[in-house]
Amino acid sequence: MPVTGKERSMATINITGSSFNETVDKGGIVILDFWAEWCGPCKMFGPTFDAAALKHPDIVFGKINTEEEQELAGHFQIRSIPTLMALKDGIIVFNQAGAMMPAQLEELIKALRDLDMEKVKADIAAQEE
């Protein structure tokens, strides 16, 4: 079943520079899709991203238009689109350029759910010492 505009607006959110911190500071899992209107692979990946958002309503699925949000794209050094970035509890735990197949995105979501953030935070603390 194709995702209509109304369903998409309920499943994914558009992230801007002004809404970024508010979105990621809520904690939990946030998956970001850096894209642009002119990008063919972005358009091909869009329905996969939208379908995952509908399937996993407890996860924030955000879309960042790199043409409109150049400061955000620059801050995260986005060099290729689509780029998928995932944060858990405000920490970037995944960052990869290129579209994913639906099964790959589901594997990523499972890995994000299973990720032990106490261990991640301990590893970060150890690296900073």
Side-chain angles (χ1 to χ4, degrees):
M1 173 175 86
V3 177
T4 66
K6 184 177 180 184
E7 289 168 328
R8 178 177 174 187
S9 67
M10 292 170 28
T12 63
I13 60 172
N14 289 320
I15 305 286
T16 64
S18 60
S19 68
F20 181 84
N21 287 339
E22 177 186 337
T23 302
V24 301
D25 287 349
K26 291 178 183 173
I29 299 172
V30 178
I31 302 175
L32 303 173
D33 174 20
F34 289 84
W35 69 285
E37 189 65 41
W38 51 263
C39 168
C42 298
K43 288 182 178 183
M44 290 174 51
F45 177 64
T48 298
F49 193 74
D50 293 340
L54 287 170
K55 186 174 178 182
H56 302 280
D58 60 314
I59 295 176
V60 174
F61 286 80
K63 296 187 71 71
I64 299 174
N65 184 327
T66 57
E67 293 292 304
E68 295 174 2
E69 301 299 330
Q70 293 182 13
E71 280 189 38
L72 271 179
H75 176 78
F76 289 107
Q77 301 178 352
I78 303 301
R79 303 279 179 253
S80 177
I81 54 175
T83 289
L84 209 58
M85 183 179 294
L87 298 92
K88 187 166 181 181
D89 298 340
I91 299 171
I92 297 171
V93 294
F94 181 84
N95 186 355
Q96 177 179 302
M100 289 186 163
M101 300 300 294
Q104 293 171 308
L105 185 53
E106 286 299 320
E107 286 176 24
L108 171 62
I109 291 167
K110 182 181 181 329
L112 291 168
R113 289 188 190 284
D114 293 344
L115 188 60
D116 180 352
M117 289 309 292
E118 294 305 315
K119 181 177 182 332
V120 169
K121 291 173 185 173
D123 290 348
I124 291 170
Q127 289 176 4
E128 292 176 350
E129 290 180 2

